[in-house]
Amino acid sequence: MISDQRLGIRVVALALLAVTTAGCGLPPLTPPTEQARPTASARGSSPVTPSTSPVATGLTIADAKRGAANWLADHNRTVKDRDWWDDSSAIDRLFWDGTRHEAVIDRWAVKDGDRRKKREAIRLTGHVYYVPREQTIPDGQWFLLQATYAGQDRPHILAFWRPEGGAFKLAAKSPLHHGQRVPEPRRDAEGYVTAMPARIGKQVAQEYMVFWDYDRHDQEGRNGYRLAEDNYSRRAYRTVSKGAYMGYQSYSRPYGFRTADGGSFHVFCLLNDPQSISAVLTLGVSTRGKGNALHEIAADWYA
């Protein structure tokens, strides 16, 4: 996780690590993304097809609470087996999009001979649910959850997704930057949030990809969006060496809702290579009011 005060140094270290681990020879894990076709390791998934009109989710707040609780229970049972990551069905059952590297983390620890890095059971407190009444992502359902991992000092934002007829999987997770808060959503009388159109989340994710692409960095703002001057990624960019950075080639589906001030909030992951996972940047990004500046609420690097 990124420490705000040491973000720049941390980014350089992780970028260098990403280069060295890219050729580690471990079996690849392929997440289903906007721009990558799923492989056999992601059975049952399908590429995202943006829709222009909202559809009823049929998902209740009670369903979301049960979905998160069931996922946590399944996760905690599964990781009791130190070599759980060697079971592709367990990975497919628990993880989606930008979280499939969770298996890689444990795999590397074992391959390196460090079996002391036992994965602990997850305990969450301070739950705040963001469940859309309607959404524009077809063939499934999603919700966001803000909660704090036991033993950690910052809330996390977690995205859960389930394909139609399936169980919820963890699709993205990130700690909030110190001092940041998830913006207040636009809620209806029953507490449901208003989902953002899929095309808006796609534009925000593409803008981040352009920003982190050295060859296209000067094209930032092509979608009308632009990273705010105090954006954490903008501050980190100055410290990252071109020779070390791998770049991002795809992104996960974005999950987003309208905020009370008329802006938006989106959660998504950038991936360095759709055919393997050796660098992931998970982001929580907001716009304020009718502005197009991108404010980074949360971010987490994996490399």
Side-chain angles (χ1 to χ4, degrees):
M1 293 177 290
I2 301 177
S3 170
D4 300 345
Q5 292 82 6
R6 301 176 62 187
L7 182 145
I9 296 174
R10 180 64 170 159
V11 169
V12 173
L14 290 174
L16 289 169
L17 180 59
V19 173
T20 60
T21 58
C24 64
L26 295 172
L29 292 174
T30 304
T33 69
E34 284 267 358
Q35 298 178 333
R37 178 175 298 175
T39 66
S41 68
R43 291 183 297 273
S45 61
S46 60
V48 175
T49 303
S51 172
T52 57
S53 59
V55 294
T57 66
L59 176 67
T60 67
I61 294 174
D63 290 336
K65 291 180 178 180
R66 282 192 296 269
N70 290 340
W71 183 88
L72 283 167
D74 191 8
H75 172 276
N76 293 344
R77 285 193 302 268
T78 300
V79 300
K80 286 181 179 180
D81 178 358
R82 186 62 184 88
D83 295 333
W84 71 272
W85 48 264
D86 205 24
D87 181 356
S88 60
S89 65
I91 299 170
D92 290 338
R93 189 176 71 250
L94 292 173
F95 300 106
W96 186 268
D97 281 349
T99 61
R100 294 173 65 81
H101 64 279
E102 294 291 327
V104 180
I105 293 174
D106 279 24
R107 178 184 294 165
W108 283 353
V110 172
K111 294 287 186 178
D112 290 342
D114 189 354
R115 287 182 170 268
R116 295 171 298 175
K117 294 181 179 179
K118 181 180 178 181
R119 181 173 291 267
E120 300 293 336
I122 295 175
R123 308 294 180 196
L124 297 176
T125 61
H127 302 68
V128 179
Y129 287 86
Y130 307 90
V131 183
R133 173 73 73 184
E134 297 178 326
Q135 63 175 319
T136 55
I137 302 176
D139 303 323
Q141 299 170 325
W142 64 269
F143 67 89
L144 299 179
L145 168 62
Q146 179 182 307
T148 300
Y149 280 60
Q152 299 191 25
D153 63 348
R154 283 183 285 169
H156 280 60
I157 188 73
L158 301 92
F160 288 92
W161 161 266
R162 68 178 177 190
E164 190 171 341
F168 279 109
K169 307 178 184 186
L170 185 64
K173 71 169 186 177
S174 173
L176 273 60
H177 289 303
H178 285 293
Q180 295 294 323
R181 296 180 180 180
V182 175
E184 185 64 25
R186 179 190 297 176
R187 294 187 187 270
D188 64 18
E190 294 181 289
Y192 291 89
V193 303
T194 302
M196 288 299 298
R199 61 179 177 80
I200 302 299
K202 181 177 180 180
Q203 289 171 358
V204 172
Q206 288 175 340
E207 196 58 49
Y208 258 87
M209 284 190 65
V210 170
F211 178 84
W212 281 108
D213 187 329
Y214 286 108
D215 293 335
R216 297 188 297 164
H217 183 72
D218 292 338
Q219 299 176 27
E220 183 201 5
R222 65 175 186 170
N223 286 327
Y225 294 98
R226 188 176 181 86
L227 275 65
E229 291 302 320
D230 61 349
N231 186 292
Y232 291 90
S233 284
R234 182 180 293 283
R235 288 160 50 191
Y237 183 88
R238 306 187 191 103
T239 69
V240 179
S241 165
K242 290 185 179 180
Y245 189 65
M246 295 181 66
Y248 294 108
Q249 300 177 24
S250 62
Y251 55 88
S252 71
R253 71 186 68 217
Y255 307 90
F257 57 77
R258 295 188 185 278
T259 56
D261 67 358
S264 62
F265 178 68
H266 309 270
V267 177
F268 58 93
C269 301
L270 300 182
L271 304 164
N272 73 303
D273 186 340
Q275 299 305 316
S276 62
I277 303 174
S278 58
V280 179
L281 174 56
T282 303
L283 293 151
V285 179
S286 72
T287 63
R288 298 172 183 171
K290 296 182 179 180
N292 288 331
L294 301 178
H295 301 271
E296 199 168 294
I297 307 300
D300 195 17
W301 292 77
Y302 162 77

Coordinates of all heavy atoms in Angstrom, one line a residue, residues 127-131 144 146 157 176 180-196 256-266 285-289 297:
H127 N -18.4 -1.2 8.2 CA -18.9 -1.4 6.8 C -19.8 -0.3 6.4 O -20.7 0.2 7.1 CB -19.8 -2.7 6.8 CG -19.0 -3.9 7.2 ND1 -18.6 -4.2 8.4 CD2 -18.6 -5.0 6.4 CE1 -17.9 -5.3 8.5 NE2 -18.0 -5.9 7.3
V128 N -19.6 0.2 5.1 CA -20.5 1.1 4.4 C -20.7 0.6 3.0 O -19.7 0.4 2.3 CB -19.9 2.6 4.4 CG1 -20.9 3.5 3.6 CG2 -19.6 3.1 5.7
Y129 N -22.0 0.3 2.7 CA -22.3 -0.3 1.4 C -22.7 0.7 0.4 O -23.5 1.6 0.7 CB -23.3 -1.4 1.6 CG -22.8 -2.7 2.3 CD1 -22.8 -2.7 3.7 CD2 -22.3 -3.7 1.5 CE1 -22.3 -3.9 4.3 CE2 -21.9 -4.9 2.2 CZ -21.8 -4.9 3.5 OH -21.4 -6.1 4.2
Y130 N -22.3 0.5 -0.9 CA -22.8 1.3 -2.0 C -23.4 0.4 -3.0 O -22.7 -0.3 -3.8 CB -21.6 2.1 -2.6 CG -20.8 2.9 -1.6 CD1 -19.7 2.4 -0.9 CD2 -21.2 4.2 -1.2 CE1 -19.0 3.1 0.0 CE2 -20.5 5.0 -0.3 CZ -19.4 4.4 0.3 OH -18.7 5.1 1.3
V131 N -24.7 0.3 -3.0 CA -25.4 -0.7 -3.8 C -26.2 0.0 -4.8 O -27.1 0.9 -4.5 CB -26.3 -1.6 -3.0 CG1 -27.0 -2.7 -3.9 CG2 -25.5 -2.3 -1.9
L144 N -20.1 -1.8 -4.1 CA -18.9 -1.4 -3.4 C -19.0 -1.4 -1.9 O -20.1 -1.3 -1.4 CB -18.5 0.0 -3.8 CG -18.2 0.3 -5.3 CD1 -17.9 1.8 -5.6 CD2 -17.1 -0.6 -5.8
Q146 N -17.0 -0.1 1.7 CA -15.9 0.6 2.4 C -15.8 -0.1 3.8 O -16.8 -0.2 4.5 CB -16.2 2.1 2.6 CG -15.0 2.8 3.4 CD -15.3 4.3 3.6 OE1 -15.5 5.0 2.6 NE2 -15.3 4.7 4.8
I157 N -11.5 0.5 0.1 CA -12.7 0.4 -0.8 C -12.6 -0.9 -1.5 O -11.5 -1.3 -2.1 CB -12.8 1.6 -1.7 CG1 -14.1 1.6 -2.5 CG2 -11.6 1.7 -2.6 CD1 -15.3 1.9 -1.7
L176 N -7.7 3.6 1.2 CA -7.8 5.1 1.0 C -6.5 5.8 1.3 O -5.8 5.4 2.2 CB -8.9 5.7 1.8 CG -10.3 5.6 1.2 CD1 -10.8 4.2 0.9 CD2 -11.3 6.3 2.1
Q180 N -8.1 10.9 3.1 CA -9.1 11.0 2.1 C -10.4 10.2 2.5 O -10.3 9.3 3.3 CB -8.6 10.4 0.8 CG -7.4 11.2 0.2 CD -7.9 12.5 -0.3 OE1 -9.0 12.7 -0.8 NE2 -7.0 13.5 -0.1
R181 N -11.5 10.6 1.9 CA -12.8 9.9 2.2 C -13.5 9.6 0.9 O -13.4 10.4 -0.1 CB -13.7 10.8 3.0 CG -13.2 11.1 4.4 CD -14.2 12.0 5.2 NE -13.7 12.3 6.5 CZ -14.4 13.1 7.4 NH1 -15.6 13.6 7.0 NH2 -13.9 13.3 8.6
V182 N -14.2 8.5 0.8 CA -15.1 8.2 -0.3 C -16.2 9.3 -0.3 O -16.8 9.6 0.7 CB -15.7 6.8 -0.2 CG1 -16.7 6.6 -1.3 CG2 -14.6 5.8 -0.2
P183 N -16.4 10.0 -1.4 CA -17.4 11.0 -1.5 C -18.8 10.5 -1.2 O -19.1 9.4 -1.5 CB -17.3 11.6 -2.9 CG -16.6 10.5 -3.7 CD -15.7 9.8 -2.8
E184 N -19.6 11.4 -0.6 CA -21.0 11.0 -0.3 C -21.7 10.7 -1.6 O -21.7 11.5 -2.5 CB -21.7 12.1 0.4 CG -23.1 11.8 0.9 CD -23.1 10.7 1.9 OE1 -22.1 10.4 2.6 OE2 -24.1 10.0 2.0
P185 N -22.4 9.6 -1.7 CA -23.1 9.2 -3.0 C -24.5 9.9 -3.0 O -25.0 10.3 -2.0 CB -23.2 7.7 -2.9 CG -23.3 7.4 -1.4 CD -22.4 8.4 -0.8
R186 N -25.0 9.9 -4.2 CA -26.4 10.3 -4.3 C -27.2 9.0 -4.0 O -27.2 8.0 -4.8 CB -26.7 10.7 -5.8 CG -28.2 11.1 -6.0 CD -28.5 11.4 -7.5 NE -27.7 12.5 -8.0 CZ -27.7 12.8 -9.3 NH1 -28.4 12.2 -10.1 NH2 -27.0 13.9 -9.7
R187 N -28.0 9.1 -2.9 CA -28.8 7.9 -2.5 C -30.3 8.2 -2.6 O -30.7 9.3 -2.4 CB -28.5 7.5 -1.1 CG -27.0 7.0 -0.8 CD -26.9 6.5 0.6 NE -25.6 6.1 1.0 CZ -25.0 4.9 0.9 NH1 -25.8 4.0 0.3 NH2 -23.8 4.7 1.2
D188 N -31.0 7.2 -2.9 CA -32.5 7.4 -2.9 C -33.0 7.1 -1.5 O -32.3 6.9 -0.5 CB -33.2 6.5 -3.9 CG -33.0 5.0 -3.6 OD1 -32.7 4.6 -2.5 OD2 -33.2 4.2 -4.6
A189 N -34.3 7.2 -1.4 CA -35.0 7.1 0.0 C -34.7 5.8 0.7 O -34.7 5.7 1.9 CB -36.5 7.3 -0.2
E190 N -34.4 4.7 -0.1 CA -34.1 3.4 0.5 C -32.6 3.2 0.7 O -32.2 2.1 1.1 CB -34.7 2.3 -0.3 CG -36.3 2.4 -0.4 CD -36.9 1.3 -1.2 OE1 -36.7 1.3 -2.4 OE2 -37.4 0.4 -0.6
G191 N -31.8 4.1 0.3 CA -30.3 4.0 0.5 C -29.5 3.5 -0.6 O -28.3 3.2 -0.5
Y192 N -30.2 3.3 -1.8 CA -29.4 2.8 -3.0 C -28.7 4.0 -3.7 O -29.3 5.1 -3.7 CB -30.4 2.1 -3.9 CG -30.9 0.8 -3.4 CD1 -32.1 0.8 -2.6 CD2 -30.3 -0.4 -3.6 CE1 -32.6 -0.4 -2.1 CE2 -30.7 -1.6 -3.1 CZ -31.9 -1.6 -2.3 OH -32.4 -2.8 -1.8
V193 N -27.6 3.7 -4.3 CA -26.8 4.7 -5.0 C -27.3 4.7 -6.5 O -27.9 3.7 -7.0 CB -25.3 4.5 -4.9 CG1 -24.9 4.5 -3.4 CG2 -24.9 3.2 -5.6
T194 N -26.9 5.8 -7.1 CA -27.2 5.9 -8.6 C -25.9 5.6 -9.3 O -24.9 6.2 -9.2 CB -27.6 7.3 -8.9 OG1 -28.8 7.7 -8.2 CG2 -27.9 7.5 -10.4
A195 N -25.9 4.5 -10.2 CA -24.7 4.1 -10.9 C -24.4 5.1 -12.0 O -25.3 5.7 -12.6 CB -25.0 2.7 -11.5
M196 N -23.1 5.2 -12.3 CA -22.6 6.0 -13.4 C -22.7 5.2 -14.7 O -22.6 4.0 -14.6 CB -21.2 6.4 -13.2 CG -21.0 7.5 -12.1 SD -21.8 9.0 -12.5 CE -21.0 9.5 -14.0
G256 N -18.8 2.4 -10.7 CA -18.9 3.8 -10.2 C -20.3 4.3 -9.9 O -21.3 3.7 -10.4
F257 N -20.4 5.3 -9.1 CA -21.7 5.9 -8.7 C -21.7 7.4 -8.8 O -20.6 8.0 -8.7 CB -22.2 5.4 -7.4 CG -21.3 5.7 -6.2 CD1 -21.2 7.0 -5.7 CD2 -20.5 4.7 -5.7 CE1 -20.3 7.3 -4.6 CE2 -19.6 4.9 -4.6 CZ -19.6 6.2 -4.1
R258 N -22.8 8.0 -8.9 CA -22.9 9.5 -8.8 C -22.8 10.0 -7.4 O -23.3 9.3 -6.5 CB -24.3 10.0 -9.4 CG -24.4 9.7 -10.9 CD -25.7 10.3 -11.5 NE -25.9 9.9 -12.8 CZ -25.3 10.5 -13.9 NH1 -24.5 11.5 -13.7 NH2 -25.6 10.1 -15.1
T259 N -22.1 11.1 -7.2 CA -22.0 11.7 -5.9 C -23.0 12.7 -5.6 O -23.6 13.3 -6.5 CB -20.5 12.2 -5.7 OG1 -20.3 13.2 -6.7 CG2 -19.5 11.1 -5.9
A260 N -23.2 13.1 -4.3 CA -24.2 14.0 -3.9 C -24.0 15.4 -4.5 O -24.9 16.2 -4.7 CB -24.3 14.1 -2.4
D261 N -22.7 15.7 -4.8 CA -22.4 17.1 -5.3 C -22.5 17.2 -6.8 O -22.2 18.2 -7.4 CB -21.0 17.6 -4.9 CG -19.9 16.7 -5.5 OD1 -20.2 15.8 -6.2 OD2 -18.7 17.0 -5.2
G262 N -23.0 16.1 -7.5 CA -23.1 16.0 -8.9 C -22.0 15.5 -9.6 O -22.0 15.4 -10.9
G263 N -20.9 15.0 -8.9 CA -19.8 14.4 -9.5 C -19.9 12.9 -9.6 O -21.0 12.4 -9.7
S264 N -18.8 12.2 -9.6 CA -18.8 10.8 -9.7 C -17.6 10.1 -8.9 O -16.7 10.8 -8.6 CB -18.7 10.4 -11.2 OG -17.5 10.8 -11.7
F265 N -17.7 8.8 -8.7 CA -16.7 8.1 -8.0 C -16.5 6.7 -8.8 O -17.6 6.1 -9.0 CB -17.0 7.9 -6.6 CG -16.0 7.0 -5.8 CD1 -14.7 7.5 -5.6 CD2 -16.2 5.8 -5.4 CE1 -13.7 6.8 -5.0 CE2 -15.3 5.0 -4.7 CZ -14.0 5.5 -4.5
H266 N -15.3 6.3 -9.0 CA -15.1 5.1 -9.8 C -14.0 4.3 -9.2 O -13.0 4.8 -8.7 CB -14.6 5.5 -11.3 CG -15.5 6.5 -11.9 ND1 -16.6 6.1 -12.7 CD2 -15.5 7.8 -12.0 CE1 -17.2 7.2 -13.2 NE2 -16.5 8.2 -12.7
V285 N -11.2 6.9 -7.8 CA -11.1 8.2 -8.4 C -12.4 9.0 -8.4 O -13.4 8.4 -8.7 CB -10.5 8.1 -9.8 CG1 -10.4 9.5 -10.5 CG2 -9.2 7.4 -9.8
S286 N -12.4 10.2 -8.0 CA -13.6 11.0 -8.0 C -13.5 12.2 -8.9 O -12.4 12.7 -9.1 CB -14.0 11.4 -6.6 OG -13.1 12.4 -6.1
T287 N -14.6 12.7 -9.4 CA -14.8 14.1 -9.9 C -15.7 14.8 -9.0 O -16.5 14.3 -8.3 CB -15.3 14.0 -11.4 OG1 -16.7 13.5 -11.3 CG2 -14.5 13.2 -12.3
R288 N -15.5 16.1 -9.0 CA -16.3 17.0 -8.1 C -17.3 17.9 -8.9 O -16.8 18.6 -9.8 CB -15.4 17.8 -7.2 CG -14.5 17.0 -6.4 CD -13.4 17.8 -5.6 NE -12.6 16.9 -4.8 CZ -11.4 17.3 -4.3 NH1 -11.1 18.6 -4.4 NH2 -10.7 16.5 -3.6
G289 N -18.5 17.8 -8.5 CA -19.5 18.7 -9.2 C -19.5 18.3 -10.7 O -19.5 17.2 -11.1
I297 N -8.7 9.2 -4.6 CA -9.1 9.0 -3.2 C -8.3 7.8 -2.7 O -7.9 7.8 -1.5 CB -10.6 8.7 -3.1 CG1 -11.4 9.8 -3.8 CG2 -11.0 8.5 -1.7 CD1 -11.1 11.2 -3.2

